[in-house]
Amino acid sequence: MDAIKDRKIRKVREQLTKSFNTILMALASLLLLSPMIWMISTSFKKAIDVFTYPIQWIPTDPVWTNHIKVWTTGDGFAMFYLNSLKISLVLMIGAPLLAAFAAYGFSRIPFKGRDAVFLLYLCLMMIPQQVLFVPKFIMFDWMNIYNTHWALILPGLFTVFGVFMIRQFFMSIPHEISEAAFIDGAGHFRIFFQLFLPLSKPVLATFAIIDFTWTWNDYENALIFLLDKRLFTVPLGMQNFMLEAGVDYNMMMAAATAGVVPLLIVFFLGQKYIIQGFSSSAVKG
Amino acid sequence: MNWMKRQRLIGYVFIGPNLIGMTVFMLIPALFSFYLMFTDWVFASGQPPRFIGLDNFRMMVRDDLFAVSVKNTLLVLIPVPISIMLGFLIAVMLNNRTYFQKTLRAFFFAPYFTSGIAIAFVWMVLFQPTNGPINAFLRSVGISEPPLWFASPDTAMYAVLVMMTAGGIGYNMIIYLAALQELSSEQLEAARIDGATFGQLLRQIIFPLVSPTTLFLTITGFIGSIKGFGMIYAITQGGPANSTTVFSIFAYKKAFSFYEMGYASAVSWTMFLIILFITLIQWAGQKKWVHY
């Protein structure tokens, strides 16, 4: 009897601790989310309500005008959006494909010089972007792609990280599968397109999503290689907008909301892939 | 022999497209910039690059901005261990010690995932010195003269550090959580039955078990912090009075405000050396505390 009672007490105690922990963690996560919550709520406020204290987490008198203005005034937030979408989508499709192609060569075709090239990739990964900005700026000027979207798209197509991530996955595909296909007379190209690409959909999707967020958030390349306002991507257009907005904080928050919401949508739609992708890239890498 | 040649050809066909891209957009620029750092070249000056040996480095050491940016670059390392520690504690909690684990995980990860220029501007407004919510809160708890944050050279860096700490927690949490989920439950159970307190369990069992992850996070975290540019530059442009100029902003200004391409290359390669140095120190120090 006592043993059963003991177990019951222990279970109740465990449940209590667990509930307490849950509340504690929920509060902590709200604290971290609070800038974003404040951003969204402020984007619906009138100018006069922005800094009222205690903070209005839910605006007493919500308005849509900030959002409407952000999207319709001459500064062309819609245009920044189209530019960003264009670049991000091209890279989201192109970069994983090119990386997968190389990853197959690095993992499934043994040939002389392969490991030397791979070592070179490892070295290149250590060089910070900042080292490359100056020479790229000069080269793009010579190549006549400075101040065009090509300056962001072309270099973005080639990622070391993507090759690593997909190579890792390809190495886990059993050799028996490709050997069986070889015996059936298939070459490397058929095996790659008809066997490996379909098999690696999850890892390709994961990388595509990570790459999309990188491109979407990429501020530095846009800052250095784009000059014309009509070419600006969201981060650069956003900065431009913020500096012009001055003290129109509610407008600024509406613009920030416009920049963050697509990422939030991508996050909640692809949560499984994203979290898996980020964790596996670190633990196995 | 014929087969080997064929194999080699197919191999290069597969890695070729990527290799060409890497060569054009990474290898050649890297070599080009390596050459530039020994020259005094100014973009669009009409003068060809002149070889000046290590003069750029001599100039850099005497540059006022150099000392400032080294100091600030060391400061931005502070958020790394803090956000790693917090990420670790949260991950331990979310690993079977709470309800709604998946929802909480998403809540903690979302701020990291969405962090960028937009969120940087949110922080700027939150830190607004006269009426901003953070200072309004500080006043309401009795601090009559709260810091001016981004508006003052003395405090701008603190605001940057808060912003960076908050941004890093979610990532560290997700990586620790993945590592914890791969641990065997036996080791953890054994400790619990032995009557270890939660603190002992954390310090003596869990932390050593995930020490390879901690090493990974400190190395990549420090590298990321040193390279960090956008969120700081977008709101402060390195100011006020250069108080938030970190190394990457130093290099950027020399290149794209003054077009001193030779000098800027020297600055950016110095940044690479700092990264390499800090990484090597950690790599060498791991024997003392990392258990595989």
Side-chain angles (χ1 to χ4, degrees):
Chain A
M1 276 306 272
D2 267 6
I4 296 170
K5 212 176 163 191
D6 263 10
R7 200 177 299 162
K8 254 189 185 162
I9 289 173
R10 203 187 304 159
K11 203 172 173 202
V12 169
R13 198 184 290 161
E14 224 164 70
Q15 281 169 339
L16 273 176
T17 332
K18 231 175 165 179
S19 310
F20 174 76
N21 288 344
T22 309
I23 293 169
L24 190 73
M25 286 296 111
L27 289 176
S29 71
L30 277 182
L31 186 67
L32 273 183
L33 283 168
S34 59
M36 214 164 15
I37 299 170
W38 190 80
M39 167 191 86
I40 294 172
S41 87
T42 304
S43 74
F44 287 102
K45 285 178 195 167
K46 288 181 179 158
I48 196 169
D49 292 330
V50 169
F51 285 148
T52 47
Y53 194 84
I55 297 167
Q56 288 182 16
W57 292 103
I58 296 164
T60 45
D61 188 9
V63 288
W64 279 98
T65 44
N66 306 319
H67 289 276
I68 294 167
K69 264 192 205 155
V70 162
W71 285 96
T72 54
T73 41
D75 283 67
F77 222 78
M79 192 173 62
F80 304 147
Y81 238 81
L82 281 179
N83 290 336
S84 270
L85 266 182
K86 175 180 130 191
I87 297 170
S88 302
L89 287 178
V90 170
L91 290 181
M92 188 183 177
I93 295 164
L97 272 179
L98 273 163
F101 213 60
Y104 184 86
F106 278 124
S107 61
R108 284 309 171 111
I109 311 174
F111 61 94
K112 223 178 132 193
R114 184 184 79 171
D115 296 340
V117 176
F118 198 67
L119 196 68
L120 177 76
Y121 272 44
L122 274 171
C123 295
L124 286 179
M125 210 158 72
M126 289 191 52
I127 296 176
Q129 273 205 76
Q130 279 82 4
V131 168
L132 306 177
F133 283 144
V134 164
K136 270 160 83 179
F137 172 78
I138 298 163
M139 279 170 53
F140 289 173
D141 189 45
W142 291 340
M143 292 160 79
N144 272 326
I145 58 170
Y146 173 72
N147 196 25
T148 68
H149 285 155
W150 290 114
L152 305 189
I153 293 173
L154 286 178
L157 283 172
F158 310 100
T159 62
V160 186
F161 174 77
V163 175
F164 273 58
M165 188 173 180
I166 298 166
R167 174 179 168 268
Q168 204 76 20
F169 178 80
F170 281 175
M171 292 201 308
S172 72
I173 297 176
H175 275 275
E176 288 82 31
I177 292 182
S178 37
E179 266 153 31
F182 272 127
I183 291 166
D184 288 345
H188 279 300
F189 289 96
R190 260 188 65 194
I191 291 177
F192 174 73
F193 282 109
Q194 294 183 358
L195 206 60
F196 274 57
L197 275 192
L199 274 176
S200 50
K201 267 184 203 152
V203 73
L204 290 176
T206 306
F207 175 59
I209 291 171
I210 294 180
D211 200 64
F212 176 86
T213 47
W214 278 348
T215 321
W216 189 268
N217 278 330
D218 177 18
Y219 164 75
E220 290 169 88
N221 284 296
L223 176 72
I224 293 168
F225 302 126
L226 298 181
L227 200 62
D228 271 351
K229 217 170 169 184
R230 68 189 165 78
L231 295 176
F232 281 5
T233 54
V234 171
L236 199 57
M238 167 110 45
Q239 187 200 17
N240 204 60
F241 185 92
M242 297 293 184
L243 297 178
E244 277 175 16
V247 292
D248 288 342
Y249 298 119
N250 49 348
M251 290 281 285
M252 289 168 73
M253 291 305 103
T257 306
V260 167
V261 163
L263 283 178
L264 275 181
I265 293 172
V266 168
F267 180 64
F268 282 107
L269 288 181
Q271 216 195 109
K272 199 181 106 201
Y273 286 127
I274 291 168
I275 289 182
Q276 244 172 35
F278 273 94
S279 14
S280 68
S281 66
V283 172
K284 285 165 196 151
Chain B
M1 194 56 213
N2 214 354
W3 181 82
M4 264 179 74
K5 264 190 187 159
R6 208 183 124 72
Q7 191 80 347
R8 200 167 167 188
L9 183 73
I10 296 176
Y12 276 109
V13 168
F14 268 96
I15 64 168
N18 201 279
L19 186 60
I20 292 171
M22 287 295 171
T23 310
V24 173
F25 296 111
M26 287 191 88
L27 184 62
I28 293 176
L31 296 173
F32 188 23
S33 136
F34 193 80
Y35 157 73
L36 280 178
M37 90 176 143
F38 300 110
T39 73
D40 64 351
W41 198 45
V42 176
F43 183 72
S45 64
Q47 305 286 332
R50 193 166 54 105
F51 188 82
I52 54 166
L54 293 174
D55 276 5
N56 280 327
F57 292 92
R58 288 190 196 104
M59 203 159 83
M60 186 182 71
V61 179
R62 273 184 268 121
D63 197 325
D64 290 342
L65 266 185
F66 175 74
V68 171
S69 46
V70 167
K71 191 195 93 197
N72 287 336
T73 303
L74 289 176
L75 280 177
V76 293
L77 297 181
I78 298 173
V80 177
I82 299 176
S83 65
I84 285 181
M85 228 154 58
L86 291 172
F88 172 68
L89 290 177
I90 295 166
V92 171
M93 283 300 202
L94 295 198
N95 190 31
N96 298 327
R97 286 173 202 277
T98 64
Y99 300 106
F100 309 112
Q101 289 170 21
K102 287 210 167 130
T103 316
L104 285 173
R105 187 179 65 171
F107 279 9
F108 277 111
F109 195 58
Y112 165 78
F113 191 74
T114 51
S115 116
I117 301 300
I119 297 296
F121 280 105
V122 177
W123 281 108
M124 192 182 85
V125 182
L126 288 173
F127 276 121
Q128 204 269 354
T130 44
N131 302 309
I134 290 177
N135 276 1
F137 168 76
L138 290 177
R139 278 199 199 91
S140 77
V141 295
I143 301 169
S144 56
E145 275 179 53
L148 297 176
W149 305 112
F150 286 120
S152 153
D154 300 325
T155 51
M157 210 54 205
Y158 295 114
V160 168
L161 298 185
V162 171
M163 179 172 86
M164 288 177 68
T165 309
I169 293 173
Y171 177 74
N172 295 323
M173 178 276 297
I174 215 84
I175 305 297
Y176 270 125
L177 198 55
L180 288 172
Q181 282 162 354
E182 287 193 3
L183 291 182
S184 72
S185 54
E186 288 142 38
Q187 289 156 304
L188 303 178
E189 280 308 313
R192 202 177 293 186
I193 290 160
D194 285 347
T197 65
F198 184 55
Q200 284 168 329
L201 186 72
L202 271 187
R203 265 200 315 273
Q204 290 165 13
I205 313 280
I206 303 179
F207 195 72
L209 282 174
V210 295
S211 54
T213 306
T214 309
L215 178 71
F216 169 83
L217 289 176
T218 31
I219 288 181
T220 53
F222 280 155
I223 294 177
S225 259
I226 298 171
K227 289 201 287 194
F229 173 85
M231 286 181 79
I232 307 176
Y233 186 79
I235 46 181
T236 71
Q237 282 87 47
N242 290 322
S243 60
T244 56
T245 298
V246 289
F247 233 82
S248 55
I249 295 180
F250 180 29
Y252 172 83
K253 278 188 174 166
K254 286 299 163 197
F256 301 105
S257 301
F258 305 106
Y259 293 101
E260 295 171 23
M261 296 312 192
Y263 187 41
S265 300
V267 173
S268 65
W269 278 102
T270 308
M271 191 176 133
F272 169 72
L273 286 179
I274 295 177
I275 291 175
L276 196 66
F277 180 68
I278 290 184
T279 307
L280 287 177
I281 289 181
Q282 293 179 82
W283 194 254
Q286 64 167 316
K287 282 189 206 102
K288 294 208 173 95
W289 61 278
V290 179
H291 311 273
Y292 287 99

